[in-house]
Amino acid sequence: PGKSADIVVLDPSTIRDNASYAEPLLRPSGVHHVMVNGEFVLTDSEFTGLRPGRLLLRTAKTSPERSTR
């Protein structure tokens, strides 16, 4: 309870990346529903307009011997 989760409903037999260098914004095929933090962001392969997620930034980890420089 109280934890965030994301769920993707897809069809493994039809999933396909349709984007290319010429058309990088084409949507993938075979992804039917996506939930982020319990809210649908994709329903019946159409965006709902909701953006409940948040950006996670990766930070570089330094070892103790490197942090003393």
Side-chain angles (χ1 to χ4, degrees):
K3 301 292 183 181
S4 299
D6 302 335
I7 298 172
V8 178
V9 178
L10 58 94
D11 182 352
S13 65
T14 62
I15 191 137
R16 177 184 169 165
D17 182 5
N18 296 315
S20 66
Y21 285 107
E23 297 182 277
L25 301 179
L26 288 178
R27 297 180 186 170
S29 302
V31 180
H32 302 289
H33 307 289
V34 177
M35 288 184 81
V36 176
N37 292 335
E39 296 186 52
F40 279 103
V41 296
L42 191 78
T43 303
D44 296 323
S45 302
E46 295 294 327
F47 286 110
T48 63
L50 297 177
R51 300 182 82 176
R54 63 185 175 103
L55 179 63
L56 300 176
L57 298 175
R58 180 178 176 188
T59 58
K61 293 183 180 180
T62 59
S63 61
E65 60 273 3
R66 294 182 102 189
S67 63
T68 59
R69 290 183 182 185

